[in-house]
Every structure is written in C-alpha cells, then in structure tokens.
Amino acid sequence: MGLYWGRTGDHVRLDLVKGQSLNAVELEDATLYTAPDGRRLDVRLHGDYLQSDTAVNGSDMRTWNGSGCALSFSYGYALGPENGSRVRNRLTASVEDLGLVSWNSASLRTQPDTSYSYEGLEVDNILDLDGAILGEGTLQDTLGLSFERGAYWRVLPYRAALRYDMEWRAGWCWAFTLSQRYLPGYFPLYHLEAGKHLGRHFLGLSAQYGGFGDVRAGLRAAFEMGPARLGLVLPNLATAFGKDGRGQTAQISLEACF
C-alpha cells in the first residue's frame, strides 16, 4: 500500500514481505593451500552461512519461512523551470525494498572461524574400515561447520538509485541512472537510455554496465491503442544470444487507462 503523486511521479510504498527461501554465504576469508608435495592441505575459513528451514520445500509458493516488511520511495527535484524547448529536467533519488525479514526458529546458521591442516588419515588395518571412514557429522564438527537452529533477522537486497532525465518538446528524451543493490558481488550499475515519443507511442534504446555482468544493450517500446497501452522491455537484447549470454529478460505489460 502507498501513495503516488501523479504530477511529479513521486511515491512512497509499504510492503509486507513473505520469507520463502534463503541461502546466503558471507565469507571474510576462505583460503585453501596445497603443499608442493601434495601431502598436506591447509584451510582457513571465516564467515557466515545462513539457510532457511530445510524441512519444507523452499520452491513451493505455499512455503512460509519468515515474515517482514519493506519501504520503497522516490523523490524528484526539478532542475530549473521549463522553457520553450524543454519540458523536463529532473533529478530523482529512489530506494526500493528497504526492509527486514525475520526468519523462523527452524532456520539454520553456522559461523566457522577456524584454521585446519589436513595430512591424511592413519589406518592401522586397511581392511578395518569401521574406524577409517568419517561420517558427515564428524567431518563438519572437525571443521567447525555444525549448524545451529534459531531465528534471525536479515536485511532485504534493497536497491538505491539516482536518476537524471531530460525531455524536449520535440519528443526526444534521455536518462542516466546510477544504482546499487545490497547483494554480495554486485557492482554499481550504470544505465543510459535515449528515445523519442512518436505521437502516442515511444521507442528507445538503452546501454548498461555493471551489476553482475558486462556491457549490455536493450530496447524499450510502448504503443497506445485507445484506452490500452502495450509495453515491451528487452534490457539485455545484445547479450541474450551466444554461449556467454546471461540475463535473458523480456517484460511485456498491458495497461488499461480510464
């Protein structure tokens, strides 16, 4: 639920969040060293591993492993008054999904902080296998990887963005957005888009760099047909094909205006 200001495009929204599945690893140190002669392995491990309740299927939409809330908002500021050729010159700051989720008491957590040197196993009798085979539980305890069950809070992967856009009365427009998402390994995302309003329709091209990928190019189009508006977004069109293509995304929307 929220509020939207139609004249400026600003909004504020409060969401209730259903925690379905969590699998998170945050490592400060994870080092594996093998001796030149191969007789010894040295491991340093320090981090945090979190997982939601494994007793239920996390891919099932009926799964409810946590509850939380999130706040989203945007605020724009006009840079100078409108003139004879320009109808928009605006700087907008926004935040999406800033909030927390409380995962239930059946959730798993381990915080290993250990150094371990492995030099093999000594076996007195090669035929006596009972004392030579280590079970999974014994191995996890040795490496300090045993899990504890309990509830905990986690911050959602929120997104913060700063956008500058300009539009002229002739129908041309362009926008530049710098955004960052609260996720491990995510780099600042730079997104540039330019396009033109063709009467009641719109056609634009985009280019972006950062996030989890490299340089990408895309297409955005909108067509108005009476009270209906059909939208098409292909943000990763240039990298959607090929052996190294990632993030094949297509968004189609249909809006009815009254």
Side-chain angles (χ1 to χ4, degrees), residues 167-180:
E167 181 180 344
W168 289 267
R169 296 189 185 277
W172 291 97
C173 60
W174 73 276
F176 174 76
T177 305
L178 173 62
S179 63
Q180 174 68 10

Side-chain angles (χ1 to χ4, degrees), residues 32-33 35 39-44 114-120 142-143:
L32 174 63
Y33 170 76
R39 294 173 179 261
R40 191 182 82 252
L41 297 177
D42 291 330
V43 177
R44 292 203 312 268
T114 183
S115 296
Y116 185 76
S117 181
Y118 174 74
E119 298 178 345
T142 301
L143 296 177

Side-chain angles (χ1 to χ4, degrees), residues 8-255:
T8 63
D10 300 334
H11 74 273
V12 59
R13 189 183 76 243
L14 179 65
D15 301 327
L16 299 180
V17 180
K18 167 180 172 284
Q20 179 172 316
S21 178
L22 172 68
N23 198 335
V25 179
E26 298 177 355
L27 293 177
E28 297 184 19
D29 186 11
T31 305
L32 174 63
Y33 170 76
T34 304
D37 58 5
R39 294 173 179 261
R40 191 182 82 252
L41 297 177
D42 291 330
V43 177
R44 292 203 312 268
L45 188 61
H46 181 204
D48 204 356
Y49 177 48
L50 307 171
Q51 190 173 13
S52 54
D53 186 5
T54 58
V56 291
N57 184 8
S59 62
D60 191 334
M61 290 300 296
R62 296 172 297 177
T63 302
W64 199 295
N65 286 326
S67 301
C69 61
L71 180 67
S72 301
F73 58 89
S74 72
Y75 177 75
Y77 178 76
L79 301 175
E82 299 179 3
N83 57 31
S85 62
R86 190 175 62 233
V87 297
R88 187 179 181 90
N89 185 19
R90 191 174 179 84
L91 184 67
T92 304
S94 63
V95 174
E96 293 289 329
D97 301 324
L98 178 62
L100 298 167
V101 171
S102 175
W103 297 93
N104 62 30
S105 58
S107 303
L108 302 177
R109 183 172 194 169
T110 182
Q111 296 175 293
D113 186 4
T114 183
S115 296
Y116 185 76
S117 181
Y118 174 74
E119 298 178 345
L121 300 172
E122 293 185 5
V123 181
D124 296 331
N125 186 348
I126 193 63
L127 299 179
D128 183 13
L129 298 180
D130 292 339
I133 304 300
L134 293 176
E136 179 181 355
T138 304
L139 184 59
Q140 287 183 341
D141 288 341
T142 301
L143 296 177
L145 298 177
S146 56
F147 288 94
E148 297 180 354
R149 292 189 178 272
Y152 48 78
W153 291 86
R154 287 288 292 176
V155 177
L156 289 171
Y158 64 87
R159 175 180 179 269
L162 188 64
R163 174 187 173 95
Y164 174 68
D165 63 287
M166 184 180 294
E167 181 180 344
W168 289 267
R169 296 189 185 277
W172 291 97
C173 60
W174 73 276
F176 174 76
T177 305
L178 173 62
S179 63
Q180 174 68 10
R181 187 174 290 276
Y182 181 66
L183 281 174
Y186 191 94
F187 294 93
L189 179 64
Y190 304 87
H191 183 273
L192 178 64
E193 181 180 81
K196 181 173 175 49
H197 294 276
L198 305 171
R200 301 175 61 189
H201 312 307
F202 176 80
L203 182 64
L205 298 175
S206 66
Q208 57 184 3
Y209 173 77
F212 290 122
D214 297 323
V215 177
R216 285 155 286 169
L219 169 71
R220 183 167 72 91
F223 307 94
E224 291 192 18
M225 299 164 289
R229 179 183 176 91
L230 178 65
L232 174 65
V233 180
L234 301 171
N236 299 339
L237 185 61
T239 58
F241 306 98
K243 62 179 182 179
D244 297 326
R246 295 190 300 171
Q248 295 88 343
T249 302
Q251 176 182 325
I252 300 176
S253 62
L254 180 63
E255 302 176 12

